[in-house]
Short mmCIF file of all heavy atoms in Angstrom, two decimals:
data_model
loop_
_atom_site.label_atom_id
_atom_site.label_comp_id
_atom_site.label_asym_id
_atom_site.label_seq_id
_atom_site.Cartn_x
_atom_site.Cartn_y
_atom_site.Cartn_z
N GLU A 1 0.82 -1.20 -0.02
CA GLU A 1 -0.01 -0.03 0.06
C GLU A 1 0.88 1.24 -0.04
O GLU A 1 2.05 1.21 0.42
CB GLU A 1 -0.95 -0.02 1.23
CG GLU A 1 -1.95 -1.08 1.20
CD GLU A 1 -2.91 -1.00 2.45
OE1 GLU A 1 -2.61 -0.17 3.24
OE2 GLU A 1 -3.85 -1.84 2.42
N ARG A 2 0.27 2.38 -0.42
CA ARG A 2 0.99 3.59 -0.45
C ARG A 2 1.41 4.00 0.98
O ARG A 2 0.56 3.86 1.95
CB ARG A 2 0.12 4.67 -1.02
CG ARG A 2 0.78 6.00 -1.31
CD ARG A 2 -0.16 7.04 -1.91
NE ARG A 2 -0.80 6.60 -3.07
CZ ARG A 2 -0.27 6.71 -4.36
NH1 ARG A 2 0.84 7.32 -4.49
NH2 ARG A 2 -1.03 6.26 -5.40
N GLU A 3 2.53 4.49 1.15
CA GLU A 3 3.18 4.75 2.51
C GLU A 3 3.54 6.23 2.57
O GLU A 3 4.19 6.84 1.67
CB GLU A 3 4.34 3.90 2.70
CG GLU A 3 5.05 4.11 4.02
CD GLU A 3 6.38 3.29 4.09
OE1 GLU A 3 6.85 2.85 3.11
OE2 GLU A 3 6.78 3.10 5.28
N PHE A 4 3.21 6.79 3.72
CA PHE A 4 3.60 8.21 3.98
C PHE A 4 5.09 8.27 4.23
O PHE A 4 5.60 7.42 4.84
CB PHE A 4 2.86 8.77 5.21
CG PHE A 4 3.39 9.98 5.75
CD1 PHE A 4 3.11 11.23 5.12
CD2 PHE A 4 4.22 10.05 6.89
CE1 PHE A 4 3.63 12.42 5.56
CE2 PHE A 4 4.68 11.22 7.39
CZ PHE A 4 4.42 12.40 6.74
N VAL A 5 5.70 9.28 3.57
CA VAL A 5 7.14 9.46 3.75
C VAL A 5 7.45 10.70 4.60
O VAL A 5 8.13 10.66 5.65
CB VAL A 5 7.84 9.60 2.42
CG1 VAL A 5 9.36 9.95 2.62
CG2 VAL A 5 7.74 8.33 1.62
N GLY A 6 6.97 11.86 4.23
CA GLY A 6 7.18 13.11 4.85
C GLY A 6 6.34 14.16 4.37
O GLY A 6 5.82 14.10 3.33
N THR A 7 6.21 15.25 5.11
CA THR A 7 5.41 16.44 4.76
C THR A 7 6.04 17.71 5.30
O THR A 7 6.72 17.71 6.30
CB THR A 7 3.98 16.30 5.27
OG1 THR A 7 3.15 17.31 4.80
CG2 THR A 7 3.85 16.29 6.79
N LEU A 8 5.79 18.80 4.51
CA LEU A 8 6.25 20.07 4.91
C LEU A 8 4.95 20.91 5.06
O LEU A 8 4.09 20.92 4.20
CB LEU A 8 7.14 20.65 3.84
CG LEU A 8 7.67 22.11 4.02
CD1 LEU A 8 8.57 22.14 5.20
CD2 LEU A 8 8.34 22.61 2.73
N SER A 9 4.88 21.67 6.21
CA SER A 9 3.68 22.35 6.51
C SER A 9 3.37 23.46 5.48
O SER A 9 4.28 23.94 4.74
CB SER A 9 3.79 22.94 7.94
OG SER A 9 4.72 23.96 7.99
N ARG A 10 2.14 23.96 5.53
CA ARG A 10 1.70 25.03 4.66
C ARG A 10 2.53 26.33 4.89
O ARG A 10 2.85 27.02 3.91
CB ARG A 10 0.20 25.24 4.94
CG ARG A 10 -0.40 26.31 4.00
CD ARG A 10 -1.91 26.37 4.10
NE ARG A 10 -2.32 26.50 5.46
CZ ARG A 10 -3.61 26.47 5.92
NH1 ARG A 10 -4.58 26.23 5.00
NH2 ARG A 10 -3.96 26.55 7.23
N SER A 11 2.86 26.57 6.12
CA SER A 11 3.66 27.69 6.50
C SER A 11 5.10 27.53 6.10
O SER A 11 5.87 28.53 6.03
CB SER A 11 3.54 27.98 8.00
OG SER A 11 4.16 26.97 8.72
N GLY A 12 5.56 26.34 5.93
CA GLY A 12 6.94 26.05 5.61
C GLY A 12 7.87 26.04 6.76
O GLY A 12 9.08 25.90 6.60
N GLU A 13 7.32 26.02 7.95
CA GLU A 13 8.12 26.08 9.16
C GLU A 13 8.28 24.79 9.80
O GLU A 13 9.20 24.67 10.68
CB GLU A 13 7.46 27.10 10.16
CG GLU A 13 7.32 28.52 9.68
CD GLU A 13 6.61 29.45 10.69
OE1 GLU A 13 5.92 28.91 11.51
OE2 GLU A 13 6.76 30.66 10.48
N SER A 14 7.48 23.81 9.52
CA SER A 14 7.54 22.50 10.19
C SER A 14 7.57 21.37 9.20
O SER A 14 7.01 21.47 8.12
CB SER A 14 6.32 22.36 11.11
OG SER A 14 6.27 23.38 12.08
N THR A 15 8.26 20.27 9.61
CA THR A 15 8.29 19.04 8.90
C THR A 15 7.93 17.89 9.73
O THR A 15 7.98 17.87 10.98
CB THR A 15 9.66 18.77 8.26
OG1 THR A 15 10.69 18.82 9.30
CG2 THR A 15 9.99 19.85 7.27
N ARG A 16 7.42 16.78 9.07
CA ARG A 16 7.05 15.55 9.77
C ARG A 16 7.49 14.39 8.87
O ARG A 16 7.18 14.42 7.66
CB ARG A 16 5.65 15.53 10.15
CG ARG A 16 5.16 14.29 10.95
CD ARG A 16 3.75 14.46 11.36
NE ARG A 16 3.28 13.26 12.06
CZ ARG A 16 2.05 13.10 12.55
NH1 ARG A 16 1.16 14.09 12.36
NH2 ARG A 16 1.74 12.00 13.16
N TYR A 17 8.08 13.35 9.48
CA TYR A 17 8.49 12.28 8.73
C TYR A 17 8.08 10.94 9.29
O TYR A 17 7.90 10.82 10.51
CB TYR A 17 10.13 12.28 8.69
CG TYR A 17 10.65 13.44 7.99
CD1 TYR A 17 11.12 14.54 8.77
CD2 TYR A 17 10.80 13.59 6.58
CE1 TYR A 17 11.60 15.69 8.21
CE2 TYR A 17 11.31 14.72 6.04
CZ TYR A 17 11.75 15.76 6.84
OH TYR A 17 12.24 16.90 6.22
N ALA A 18 7.95 9.94 8.45
CA ALA A 18 7.73 8.59 8.91
C ALA A 18 8.90 8.11 9.71
O ALA A 18 10.11 8.49 9.39
CB ALA A 18 7.46 7.66 7.78
N ASP A 19 8.74 7.29 10.67
CA ASP A 19 9.78 6.79 11.54
C ASP A 19 10.85 6.10 10.71
O ASP A 19 12.04 6.08 11.02
CB ASP A 19 9.35 5.86 12.61
CG ASP A 19 8.54 6.61 13.69
OD1 ASP A 19 8.71 7.79 13.84
OD2 ASP A 19 7.78 5.94 14.44
N SER A 20 10.45 5.42 9.65
CA SER A 20 11.36 4.63 8.82
C SER A 20 12.34 5.49 8.02
O SER A 20 13.40 4.96 7.63
CB SER A 20 10.50 3.77 7.80
OG SER A 20 9.75 4.62 7.00
N VAL A 21 12.05 6.77 7.85
CA VAL A 21 12.93 7.66 7.12
C VAL A 21 13.52 8.78 7.89
O VAL A 21 14.38 9.54 7.45
CB VAL A 21 12.29 8.16 5.82
CG1 VAL A 21 11.78 7.03 5.01
CG2 VAL A 21 11.21 9.19 6.19
N LYS A 22 13.03 9.02 9.12
CA LYS A 22 13.49 10.08 9.95
C LYS A 22 14.96 10.05 10.17
O LYS A 22 15.56 9.03 10.46
CB LYS A 22 12.72 10.04 11.35
CG LYS A 22 12.89 11.24 12.16
CD LYS A 22 12.02 11.14 13.44
CE LYS A 22 10.54 11.01 13.11
NZ LYS A 22 9.71 10.94 14.35
N GLY A 23 15.60 11.21 9.99
CA GLY A 23 17.00 11.36 10.13
C GLY A 23 17.78 11.11 8.84
O GLY A 23 18.98 11.38 8.76
N ARG A 24 17.15 10.49 7.87
CA ARG A 24 17.77 10.19 6.59
C ARG A 24 17.21 11.00 5.39
O ARG A 24 17.94 11.40 4.50
CB ARG A 24 17.59 8.74 6.23
CG ARG A 24 18.17 7.74 7.24
CD ARG A 24 18.14 6.28 6.78
NE ARG A 24 16.79 5.87 6.51
CZ ARG A 24 16.30 5.45 5.39
NH1 ARG A 24 17.09 5.39 4.34
NH2 ARG A 24 15.03 4.96 5.35
N PHE A 25 15.92 11.35 5.44
CA PHE A 25 15.25 12.08 4.38
C PHE A 25 14.88 13.48 4.90
O PHE A 25 14.61 13.75 6.03
CB PHE A 25 13.93 11.46 4.00
CG PHE A 25 14.09 10.09 3.24
CD1 PHE A 25 15.33 9.44 3.21
CD2 PHE A 25 13.01 9.51 2.67
CE1 PHE A 25 15.49 8.26 2.54
CE2 PHE A 25 13.15 8.28 2.01
CZ PHE A 25 14.37 7.67 1.94
N THR A 26 14.98 14.46 3.92
CA THR A 26 14.63 15.86 4.18
C THR A 26 13.80 16.49 3.08
O THR A 26 14.20 16.38 1.98
CB THR A 26 15.92 16.68 4.41
OG1 THR A 26 16.68 16.12 5.46
CG2 THR A 26 15.53 18.12 4.79
N ILE A 27 12.68 17.04 3.49
CA ILE A 27 11.82 17.73 2.51
C ILE A 27 12.19 19.21 2.55
O ILE A 27 12.32 19.78 3.61
CB ILE A 27 10.36 17.50 2.80
CG1 ILE A 27 9.98 16.07 2.65
CG2 ILE A 27 9.45 18.40 1.84
CD1 ILE A 27 8.53 15.76 3.14
N SER A 28 12.20 19.84 1.38
CA SER A 28 12.51 21.26 1.29
C SER A 28 11.73 21.88 0.14
O SER A 28 11.22 21.19 -0.70
CB SER A 28 14.01 21.58 1.15
OG SER A 28 14.52 21.06 -0.03
N ARG A 29 11.63 23.20 0.13
CA ARG A 29 10.87 23.93 -0.92
C ARG A 29 11.64 25.05 -1.43
O ARG A 29 12.36 25.73 -0.63
CB ARG A 29 9.54 24.42 -0.29
CG ARG A 29 8.66 25.07 -1.29
CD ARG A 29 7.43 25.68 -0.68
NE ARG A 29 7.00 25.38 0.69
CZ ARG A 29 5.86 24.91 1.06
NH1 ARG A 29 4.91 24.70 0.09
NH2 ARG A 29 5.60 24.63 2.29
N ASP A 30 11.67 25.32 -2.66
CA ASP A 30 12.30 26.43 -3.33
C ASP A 30 11.25 27.24 -3.99
O ASP A 30 10.76 26.93 -5.04
CB ASP A 30 13.36 26.03 -4.32
CG ASP A 30 14.22 27.19 -4.84
OD1 ASP A 30 13.75 28.29 -4.93
OD2 ASP A 30 15.40 26.91 -5.31
N ASN A 31 10.82 28.28 -3.37
CA ASN A 31 9.69 29.11 -3.88
C ASN A 31 10.15 29.84 -5.19
O ASN A 31 9.26 30.01 -6.04
CB ASN A 31 9.29 30.20 -2.83
CG ASN A 31 8.63 29.49 -1.66
OD1 ASN A 31 8.06 28.44 -1.70
ND2 ASN A 31 8.72 30.22 -0.47
N ALA A 32 11.36 30.22 -5.41
CA ALA A 32 11.76 30.83 -6.57
C ALA A 32 11.59 29.91 -7.83
O ALA A 32 11.27 30.37 -8.90
CB ALA A 32 13.21 31.36 -6.50
N LYS A 33 11.87 28.70 -7.63
CA LYS A 33 11.70 27.65 -8.64
C LYS A 33 10.29 26.98 -8.67
O LYS A 33 10.07 26.20 -9.59
CB LYS A 33 12.82 26.59 -8.55
CG LYS A 33 14.20 27.13 -8.84
CD LYS A 33 15.22 25.96 -8.71
CE LYS A 33 16.56 26.45 -9.18
NZ LYS A 33 17.14 27.52 -8.26
N ASN A 34 9.53 27.27 -7.64
CA ASN A 34 8.22 26.64 -7.49
C ASN A 34 8.33 25.18 -7.54
O ASN A 34 7.72 24.40 -8.29
CB ASN A 34 7.25 27.09 -8.67
CG ASN A 34 5.78 26.84 -8.24
OD1 ASN A 34 5.47 26.91 -7.07
ND2 ASN A 34 4.91 26.77 -9.24
N ALA A 35 9.25 24.62 -6.65
CA ALA A 35 9.61 23.25 -6.66
C ALA A 35 9.73 22.71 -5.18
O ALA A 35 9.99 23.51 -4.29
CB ALA A 35 10.86 22.96 -7.39
N VAL A 36 9.48 21.45 -5.12
CA VAL A 36 9.69 20.73 -3.79
C VAL A 36 10.72 19.66 -3.97
O VAL A 36 10.76 19.02 -5.06
CB VAL A 36 8.34 20.16 -3.33
CG1 VAL A 36 8.49 19.37 -2.03
CG2 VAL A 36 7.33 21.26 -3.20
N TYR A 37 11.48 19.39 -2.96
CA TYR A 37 12.53 18.36 -3.08
C TYR A 37 12.43 17.35 -1.93
O TYR A 37 11.96 17.63 -0.86
CB TYR A 37 13.89 19.04 -3.02
CG TYR A 37 14.09 20.14 -4.10
CD1 TYR A 37 13.89 21.44 -3.78
CD2 TYR A 37 14.41 19.77 -5.34
CE1 TYR A 37 13.99 22.42 -4.76
CE2 TYR A 37 14.55 20.71 -6.37
CZ TYR A 37 14.32 22.02 -6.06
OH TYR A 37 14.56 23.05 -7.04
N LEU A 38 12.98 16.16 -2.22
CA LEU A 38 13.11 15.16 -1.18
C LEU A 38 14.57 14.71 -1.26
O LEU A 38 14.95 14.00 -2.19
CB LEU A 38 12.21 13.97 -1.41
CG LEU A 38 12.36 12.80 -0.44
CD1 LEU A 38 11.90 13.32 0.97
CD2 LEU A 38 11.42 11.66 -0.82
N GLN A 39 15.38 15.09 -0.28
CA GLN A 39 16.74 14.68 -0.20
C GLN A 39 16.78 13.35 0.57
O GLN A 39 16.33 13.27 1.72
CB GLN A 39 17.65 15.69 0.45
CG GLN A 39 19.10 15.25 0.61
CD GLN A 39 19.83 15.22 -0.63
OE1 GLN A 39 19.69 15.98 -1.52
NE2 GLN A 39 20.59 14.11 -0.82
N MET A 40 17.35 12.29 0.00
CA MET A 40 17.34 10.99 0.57
C MET A 40 18.82 10.56 0.77
O MET A 40 19.61 10.44 -0.21
CB MET A 40 16.65 9.92 -0.28
CG MET A 40 15.19 10.32 -0.61
SD MET A 40 14.29 9.07 -1.52
CE MET A 40 15.26 9.07 -3.02
N ASN A 41 19.22 10.31 1.97
CA ASN A 41 20.55 9.93 2.37
C ASN A 41 20.48 8.48 3.05
O ASN A 41 19.47 8.09 3.52
CB ASN A 41 21.21 10.93 3.32
CG ASN A 41 21.35 12.27 2.71
OD1 ASN A 41 21.59 12.46 1.45
ND2 ASN A 41 21.25 13.29 3.49
N SER A 42 21.66 7.89 3.10
CA SER A 42 21.74 6.59 3.71
C SER A 42 20.60 5.61 3.21
O SER A 42 19.95 5.01 4.09
CB SER A 42 21.72 6.75 5.25
OG SER A 42 22.78 7.54 5.68
N LEU A 43 20.46 5.52 1.98
CA LEU A 43 19.38 4.79 1.38
C LEU A 43 19.60 3.26 1.69
O LEU A 43 20.64 2.69 1.74
CB LEU A 43 19.32 5.00 -0.16
CG LEU A 43 18.71 6.33 -0.48
CD1 LEU A 43 19.00 6.66 -1.95
CD2 LEU A 43 17.12 6.26 -0.36
N LYS A 44 18.42 2.63 1.88
CA LYS A 44 18.33 1.20 2.17
C LYS A 44 17.58 0.49 1.08
O LYS A 44 16.76 1.13 0.37
CB LYS A 44 17.72 0.94 3.52
CG LYS A 44 18.34 1.68 4.71
CD LYS A 44 17.51 1.48 5.92
CE LYS A 44 18.12 2.23 7.16
NZ LYS A 44 17.28 2.09 8.38
N ALA A 45 17.73 -0.81 0.97
CA ALA A 45 17.04 -1.55 -0.03
C ALA A 45 15.49 -1.42 0.16
O ALA A 45 14.79 -1.37 -0.84
CB ALA A 45 17.35 -3.02 0.01
N GLU A 46 15.00 -1.31 1.36
CA GLU A 46 13.62 -1.23 1.67
C GLU A 46 13.07 0.17 1.28
O GLU A 46 11.83 0.38 1.30
CB GLU A 46 13.31 -1.51 3.14
CG GLU A 46 14.16 -0.68 4.10
CD GLU A 46 15.40 -1.53 4.60
OE1 GLU A 46 15.98 -2.21 3.83
OE2 GLU A 46 15.61 -1.47 5.88
N ASP A 47 13.91 1.06 0.85
CA ASP A 47 13.44 2.39 0.32
C ASP A 47 13.01 2.30 -1.13
O ASP A 47 12.45 3.22 -1.71
CB ASP A 47 14.48 3.47 0.44
CG ASP A 47 14.83 3.76 1.90
OD1 ASP A 47 13.89 3.87 2.75
OD2 ASP A 47 16.06 3.96 2.18
#
């Protein structure tokens, strides 16, 4: 099933991550480019 990974709040001030990716993944936003990013580090096979 589809699994939650992470979210960035509407205000852009807060983030929340699934326990399985916490500390490894980071969500960010670039308003100038109108883009959202997911930086994934220390990747595992289960990702």
Side-chain angles (χ1 to χ4, degrees):
E1 295 183 354
R2 191 182 302 274
E3 177 187 20
F4 168 76
V5 175
T7 184
L8 180 66
S9 69
R10 183 169 55 185
S11 68
E13 298 177 345
S14 300
T15 55
R16 183 176 178 179
Y17 300 96
D19 289 341
S20 59
V21 306
K22 191 176 299 182
R24 300 188 297 120
F25 291 10
T26 304
I27 297 174
S28 62
R29 183 190 343 237
D30 188 334
N31 291 333
K33 294 182 172 64
N34 202 25
V36 180
Y37 304 98
L38 179 65
Q39 178 66 47
M40 305 185 294
N41 299 325
S42 302
L43 284 163
K44 305 175 181 179
E46 51 263 44
D47 294 320

